[in-house]
């Protein structure tokens, strides 16, 4: 449920290595010819001791490729706990260049050894490496990737599943490039692109799932009506039961806006909490957990807003998804969190999480002085939104 803001570690799978464990009595350096019964060296062993064969050279080259791929995982020491934008940009640039270089080595392998048993796997690695490098902003990788993608799209034997996957990856990359960090632009570009894909792939109902994701994104940007329109569109498309249920949950969440929010419980510290009795206050309902990294990253901002606005009528009610009450108490005490906390101990089975359709944390809602839910995305510009509600009569 809790998702890191940025995946700083990129690990490319290298495929399973075939077992070379000898059977009892076997000499691992030799094999037996079925025709003569005489022991013969394998191609890889022949190359290792200087007897060159095309097969042996390819095997050794593939072993080197595997070793190179295995070293692509970033060591933790290379990462800063709270990197600046400049540090993150530098990190991504280095990673992109590293992945692009690895993709070139893989390309050289399958070009030199096109008939090798691992040539097809190498081509998959090349595209995967270039895809990640392009996402990290490596322009050279993007150009190379586009050529590979176009070659695949031009192949009449390419399956519809593969064709759709290529088109989706290209759409996401192009939308990201257009957005340049602006989420509203990103969502607009993605929605426009998915609508075009619907015309190209009219029978692919999974595209409705992308509309639902875009709807969630619209909600996170505070665009309630745009989110509602997309969710209704998904329901009207009569998708599978799981997707329909998700769309209906989003609609139910959206329908709560503008209506009283009912939350009543006994807090961890013994306080009785009832939103109905907090009218006249602006209340932040914070769905969070101590084990959620992004939740803890938001905490300084939440505390600062509380300290600045509490005397003006700003309150917080915590809805904890923790499983360990002692850990929750320790963090609340250490961080001097003065507001009440709801604890059930069920983790993702949290009562209010299920009732309100909370699909990810941190999630922050704002309730106005009349006890009415007004904001489903209080994480963005929390202080500004809280002050605006406090200024209302």
């Amino acid at each position: 449920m809790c998702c890191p803001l940025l995946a700083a570690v990129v690990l490319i799978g290298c495929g399973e290595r075939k077992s070379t464990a000898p059977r009892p009595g076997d000499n691992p350096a030799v094999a037996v010819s079925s025709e003569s019964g005489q022991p013969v060296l394998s191609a890889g062993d022949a190359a290792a001791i200087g007897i060159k064969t095309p097969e042996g050279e390819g095997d050794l080259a593939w072993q080197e490729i595997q070793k190179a791929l295995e070293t692509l995982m970033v060591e933790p020491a290379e990462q800063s706990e709270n990197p600046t934008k400049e540090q993150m940009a530098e990190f991504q640039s280095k990673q992109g260049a590293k992945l692009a270089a690895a993709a070139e080595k893989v390309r050289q392998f399958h070009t030199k050894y096109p008939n090798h048993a691992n040539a097809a796997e190498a081509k998959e690695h090349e595209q995967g490496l270039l895809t990640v490098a392009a996402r990290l902003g490596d322009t050279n990788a993007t150009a190379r990737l586009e050529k590979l993608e176009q070659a695949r799209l031009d192949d009449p034997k390419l399956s519809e599943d593969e064709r759709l996957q290529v088109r989706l990856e290209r759409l996401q990359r192009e939308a990201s490039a257009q957005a340049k960090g602006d989420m509203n632009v990103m969502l607009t570009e993605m929605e426009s692109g998915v609508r075009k894909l619907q015309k190209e792939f009219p029978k692919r109902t999974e595209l409705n799932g992308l509309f639902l994701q875009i709807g969630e994104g619209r909600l996170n940007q505070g665009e309630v009506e745009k989110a509602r329109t997309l969710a209704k569109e998904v329901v009207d498309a009569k998708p599978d039961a799981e997707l329909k249920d998700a769309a209906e949950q989003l609609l139910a969440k959206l329908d709560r806006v503008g209506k009283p929010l009912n939350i009543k419980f006994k807090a961890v510290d013994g306080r009785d909490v009832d939103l109905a009795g907090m009218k006249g206050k602006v209340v932040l309902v914070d769905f969070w957990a101590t084990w959620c990294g992004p939740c803890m990253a938001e905490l300084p901002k939440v505390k600062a807003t509380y300290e600045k606005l509490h005397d003006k009528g700003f309150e917080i009610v915590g809805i904890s998804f923790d499983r360990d009450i002692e850990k929750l108490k320790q963090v609340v005490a250490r961080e001097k969190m003065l507001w009440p906390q709801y604890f059930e101990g069920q983790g993702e089975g949290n009562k209010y999480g299920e009732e309100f359709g909370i699909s990810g944390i941190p999630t922050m809602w704002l309730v106005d002085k009349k006890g009415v839910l007004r904001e489903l995305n209080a994480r963005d510009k929390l202080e500004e939104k809280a002050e605006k509600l406090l200024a209302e009569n």
Side-chain angles (χ1 to χ4, degrees):
M1 176 174 285
C2 173
C3 301
L5 298 180
L6 178 68
V9 177
V10 178
L11 177 60
I12 302 299
C14 303
E16 295 184 3
R17 297 186 181 185
K18 295 182 179 179
S19 173
T20 55
R23 292 170 297 179
D26 283 351
N27 182 334
V30 300
V32 177
S33 168
S34 60
E35 295 181 359
S36 65
Q38 297 299 314
V40 296
L41 288 172
S42 68
D45 290 325
I49 61 175
I51 302 175
K52 294 186 177 182
T53 66
E55 297 86 353
E57 289 180 3
D59 288 343
L60 289 178
W62 179 245
Q63 291 175 20
E64 291 302 314
I65 290 292
Q66 288 185 306
K67 290 177 182 178
L69 293 176
E70 289 169 357
T71 64
L72 289 177
M73 187 168 66
V74 183
E75 294 297 329
E78 294 183 36
Q79 304 171 44
S80 172
E81 187 172 342
N82 295 299
T84 64
K85 288 184 178 180
E86 292 75 16
Q87 288 174 326
M88 185 57 68
E90 181 181 3
F91 171 78
Q92 291 182 346
S93 177
K94 289 181 178 179
Q95 283 300 106
K98 185 186 297 184
L99 292 167
E104 175 59 20
K105 289 183 179 179
V106 176
R107 186 196 67 79
Q108 291 174 0
F109 170 82
H110 70 69
T111 300
K112 186 174 182 179
Y113 306 104
N115 298 319
H116 192 276
N118 298 104
E121 183 179 350
K123 290 181 179 180
E124 292 178 3
H125 281 312
E126 180 187 13
Q127 180 141 356
L129 290 162
L130 290 175
T131 297
V132 180
R135 289 175 185 170
L136 292 173
D138 190 291
T139 54
N140 291 330
T142 300
R144 290 164 58 190
L145 180 60
E146 288 176 349
K147 289 182 179 180
L148 285 178
E149 287 177 338
Q150 194 57 52
R152 292 187 69 194
L153 291 173
D154 291 341
D155 181 359
K157 297 181 180 179
L158 189 68
S159 70
E160 184 178 90
D161 285 348
E162 293 175 304
R163 188 175 301 278
L164 178 58
Q165 183 62 36
V166 172
R167 298 283 282 108
L168 284 172
E169 289 177 357
R170 177 177 288 185
L171 168 60
Q172 184 175 10
R173 187 172 63 252
E174 291 175 348
S176 180
Q178 286 287 333
K180 297 179 180 178
D182 187 323
M183 185 53 67
N184 282 321
V185 175
M186 178 73 174
L187 292 170
T188 298
E189 292 293 322
M190 285 297 297
E191 182 177 344
S192 175
V194 174
R195 293 197 184 284
K196 290 178 182 178
L197 287 178
Q198 272 192 321
K199 295 178 180 179
E200 187 177 343
F201 302 91
K203 297 180 180 180
R204 302 307 294 248
T205 57
E206 64 263 43
L207 291 173
N208 289 311
L210 292 176
F211 280 131
L212 189 60
Q213 291 179 28
I214 295 168
E216 290 278 5
R218 291 295 189 188
L219 172 58
N220 290 337
Q221 293 300 110
E223 298 176 302
V224 174
E225 290 310 312
K226 288 184 178 181
R228 192 191 309 278
T229 297
L230 285 167
K232 285 182 177 179
E233 184 175 337
V234 172
V235 172
D236 292 342
K238 299 180 180 180
D240 61 52
E242 184 177 357
L243 185 56
K244 181 182 178 182
D245 182 60
E248 289 177 341
Q249 284 187 22
L250 177 57
L251 285 171
K253 188 187 302 183
L254 293 167
D255 286 342
R256 292 184 182 279
V257 177
K259 299 176 183 177
L261 188 65
N262 298 314
I263 294 179
K264 185 177 182 180
F265 62 89
K266 184 174 286 292
V268 170
D269 59 10
R271 278 182 279 181
D272 289 317
V273 177
D274 186 352
L275 282 188
M278 299 175 73
K279 292 181 179 179
K281 306 284 188 180
V282 171
V283 183
L284 172 69
V285 182
D286 185 13
F287 301 88
W288 76 296
T290 61
W291 46 259
C292 167
C295 298
M296 297 305 294
E298 291 287 332
L299 186 54
K301 180 178 71 177
V302 173
K303 289 169 60 178
T305 303
Y306 182 83
E307 291 168 4
K308 181 177 180 179
L309 301 179
H310 179 61
D311 290 342
K312 298 179 181 180
F314 177 71
E315 299 287 352
I316 302 177
V317 170
I319 306 295
S320 172
F321 283 70
D322 278 279
R323 304 175 183 90
D324 184 340
I325 192 170
E326 293 305 320
K327 177 65 180 296
L328 174 62
K329 288 179 178 179
Q330 290 172 9
V331 172
V332 167
R334 184 189 71 213
E335 298 294 337
K336 296 181 174 59
M337 301 167 69
L338 304 180
W339 50 92
Q341 298 289 338
Y342 171 82
F343 174 82
E344 188 175 319
Q346 298 300 315
E348 295 186 4
N350 183 293
K351 167 188 172 182
Y352 288 114
E354 292 184 351
E355 180 180 345
F356 298 149
I358 304 302
S359 57
I361 56 175
T363 291
M364 300 181 191
W365 292 358
L366 275 173
V367 176
D368 67 15
K369 293 178 182 180
K370 298 177 182 180
V372 171
L373 178 61
R374 294 283 295 279
E375 176 64 58
L376 294 176
N377 179 30
R379 285 181 68 187
D380 182 41
K381 300 178 181 179
L382 170 60
E383 184 179 320
E384 179 183 326
K385 291 175 179 178
E387 286 184 323
K388 184 177 180 179
L389 292 180
L390 285 169
E392 294 180 351
N393 294 326

